Amino acid sequence: MRKLLLSTLFAFLMAPALMAADNKQVLNEAGVSLTGYCKAIASAPDGTAYVLMKDSRLVRIDVDGSISEIKIPLNKEIKSMDDYFCDMAVDTKAAYFCDYNDSAIVFLDLNNPKELKNLAVKYDGKEINPMMISKTMEGWTLSDAEQRTFKVDKSGNVTLLPANSQIVLDKSEKAVVSVIPYEENEKTVWPGKLLSEDNSVKWVAPAPQQPQNVMNIEYLGYDSDRSRDVYLVSTASGDCDTKFTVYAIDGQGEVASKKVIPLSNIETLMRFCKLSSDGAVLAAYGDPNDPENKVLLKRFELETINKDAPQAEPKG
């Protein structure tokens, strides 16, 4: 009888571990299905993917497909995640959050997630309203509600980057600058290019077929494994035909890879697509069958293309 009880107890204690071991999904274009409403995504340098949920959960997907969760501890200032945290960045040690209502970078130790810590951020003695965050070698970048972008070092010192700088820095930790549309001869001109911090042209997006224009270029980052810059380009001729294409550009400025990806249906995401540490891109989508309660995290590989082969449209 005692042996039976011990066997039953052992099976009970092992059940959570077995469930955790079985709870694996391959992170690919089909997507990993997660319960919850996605507020932000991020990729750590070791390839781990993170999804921030509205109900105060940080979901972790390891490179082997294992899925686990961290319950974010709330405090007196943060009573609900429903309207808190606009964006997220991670490294192997911590997750970093920003929010419009808090002029700070908020930290969560991933190895000991017992409390949130704040690094206050002010520019020229005034508080800012951060909307986006990215991790850098020396600290972070923040973009605020006034479309300003700042470098923040680990001591909280803040430097304003050039106007229209993007949230992600280049491989040299320099700003990548957007060229905004302008009016000429009563027509809107869409430049379709990005500048480096020294004002030289960094990249010009391939011209789409007429009547489409390059509406926006987002610099996703630098793939150090394959020595190429990665961009997300949106093209459109109106409100209903927007198309997103990810380009990987090699050191000679040539298109090494490109991938058409679907537009996300999660309207509250500040950035639905981010670069993974291995040069793939992660993108978050609401589950078509239950977009308010389930999210699909997809991983798009950027394989070197055959330039003579046609590019397939995304399946959605």
Side-chain angles (χ1 to χ4, degrees), residues 87-89 96-98 105 132-134 140-142 167 271:
D87 198 13
M88 167 180 66
Y96 310 96
F97 309 100
C98 70
I105 296 171
M132 295 187 290
I133 185 170
S134 182
W140 308 266
T141 51
L142 291 174
I167 187 66
R271 292 186 288 157

Side-chain angles (χ1 to χ4, degrees), residues 34-37 265 285-296:
L34 304 168
T35 300
Y37 188 85
N265 56 349
Y285 301 88
D287 188 306
N289 298 316
D290 194 2
E292 293 297 318
N293 298 298
K294 288 187 177 181
V295 59
L296 289 174

